Amino acid sequence: RRPAQDRARCAFEGLTALSIDGSGIARDLRARLAERATELANAGHRPGLAVILVGDDAASQIYVRNKIKACEETGIRSLLEKYEASFGEGELLARIAALNADTNVHGILVQMPLPKHIDPGRVIEAISVTKDVDGYSIESAGRLVTGLPGFKPCTPWGCMKLIESTGIDLRGKHAVVIGRSNTVGKPMALMLLQADATVTICHSRTPDLAGQTRDADVIVAAVGRRNTLTAAMVKPGAVVIDVGMNHIPEGEPRAGKLCGDVDFAGVCEVASAITPVPGGVGPMTIAMLLANTVESAQRYAQGAPRLV
């Protein structure tokens, strides 16, 4: 049985695609994390996540609100710090240094994007690797590359959990990742490789994208462009994970609504399993952020906050 999934209303030569219920899987994971958070709190180590928001970007405010809400529902203490767009880089780095030293804070998240006068690279590297629950720092990336313990980037880790929920054995399977960003595409490929898949990374310079994807058992689309992946580009029975989040433009049906990088209506007639947008990868990204925070608190409770 494939847990937390609903059957999509589509079929192809006897195949019935599964719409992977990321919201349901995330809800189950958060329930388990809540139990761990309660145990830690009872022992005097309530997990704590500090979230810093600089500026008034509308999308960022929504993302932060969802993260804070998820913390509350999971028993994680959230500390939200909001600053005007004029907040200086030096001031932000000073706040991060203070949070690094705060033993009640086990994770630090600085919401991106930042105002143009602040260097995001300097900000990310200022966060202690023991509290880098986004998994974005150079050291965290190096630990992922070399297989050392560390915090995995939340979105690709959530994608791995969604793939796992389908029951597919990745060993020897061909996985194609569309996108090569440092936050999703590259770490996604590394995690698939560590699961013994044969991995191909495609991007804007790939000459024959369809030729690559038609041979794939698993496809992860993460480029931020509508209809990057269509039904004609998918092998029957493939598992498709849609990381994209785009708005349908005015003048089209469902204008203003969210959609992914995948033509869901077409691809679900070919794939064996597919994530919807919304309700697929998004909830899992937040769930994995909470998982990293609880793991960090566990390390502090054991008196060994350093990653080994």
Side-chain angles (χ1 to χ4, degrees):
R1 189 174 68 88
R2 293 168 178 157
Q5 295 171 338
D6 295 323
R7 293 192 176 278
R9 295 189 299 273
C10 52
F12 180 85
E13 294 183 351
L15 289 174
T16 301
L18 293 170
S19 180
I20 305 172
D21 182 10
S23 296
I25 296 171
R27 187 167 53 250
D28 292 345
L29 175 58
R30 290 202 311 270
R32 296 194 295 273
L33 290 172
E35 293 177 358
R36 291 179 61 191
T38 298
E39 292 174 358
L40 286 165
N42 290 339
H45 300 281
R46 185 183 181 190
L49 174 67
V51 181
I52 299 177
L53 176 63
V54 183
D56 54 3
D57 180 80
S60 292
Q61 292 186 47
I62 293 172
Y63 297 148
V64 165
R65 186 165 61 245
N66 290 339
K67 290 167 184 175
I68 296 299
K69 183 174 182 289
C71 283
E72 293 172 353
E73 294 173 349
T74 312
I76 293 174
R77 183 177 69 91
S78 61
L79 173 63
L80 174 59
E81 299 191 6
K82 300 174 69 172
Y83 301 103
E84 299 294 330
S86 59
F87 197 62
E89 181 179 286
E91 295 172 291
L92 178 55
L93 294 176
R95 281 305 306 144
I96 292 172
L99 293 169
N100 282 338
D102 189 340
T103 57
N104 291 316
V105 172
H106 305 102
I108 303 172
L109 182 152
V110 178
Q111 184 64 44
M112 301 292 171
L114 289 165
K116 292 182 178 179
H117 66 277
I118 298 177
D119 180 356
R122 287 194 66 188
V123 170
I124 290 169
E125 292 309 311
I127 299 171
S128 169
V129 69
T130 64
K131 300 186 180 186
D132 177 28
V133 289
D134 255 339
Y136 284 171
S137 72
I138 292 173
E139 182 171 345
S140 293
R143 286 177 172 274
L144 180 61
V145 169
T146 56
L148 292 173
F151 296 122
K152 299 180 177 68
C154 303
T155 295
W157 190 20
C159 290
M160 290 298 292
K161 295 293 184 182
L162 293 172
I163 294 169
E164 178 184 308
S165 78
T166 69
I168 188 173
D169 183 355
L170 286 171
R171 289 177 296 180
K173 297 294 192 299
H174 181 202
V176 169
V177 178
I178 311 174
R180 52 179 170 177
S181 70
N182 291 335
T183 55
V184 181
K186 291 176 183 175
M188 185 79 247
L190 286 168
M191 291 182 197
L192 287 164
L193 188 63
Q194 288 172 359
D196 293 329
T198 299
V199 183
T200 300
I201 303 177
C202 297
H203 45 78
S204 60
R205 302 296 184 186
T206 301
D208 182 14
L209 177 60
Q212 299 292 336
T213 58
R214 277 195 294 264
D215 184 54
D217 303 296
V218 176
I219 304 171
V220 180
V223 290
R225 187 176 66 247
R226 289 179 63 203
N227 297 328
T228 294
L229 189 73
T230 63
M233 301 168 67
V234 178
K235 179 171 72 173
V239 173
V240 177
I241 306 296
D242 191 351
V243 184
M245 188 168 290
N246 313 292
H247 284 92
I248 300 174
E250 294 297 326
E252 295 190 21
R254 301 181 66 250
K257 299 291 186 180
L258 287 176
C259 66
D261 292 348
V262 177
D263 174 17
F264 183 87
V267 172
C268 77
E269 296 182 0
V270 185
S272 64
I274 182 172
T275 56
V277 176
V281 173
M284 289 300 294
T285 296
I286 295 178
M288 304 327 292
L289 171 68
L290 303 182
N292 277 342
T293 302
V294 171
E295 175 62 27
S296 179
Q298 184 76 58
R299 290 180 182 275
Y300 273 80
Q302 293 171 345
R306 288 197 59 80
L307 301 173
V308 292

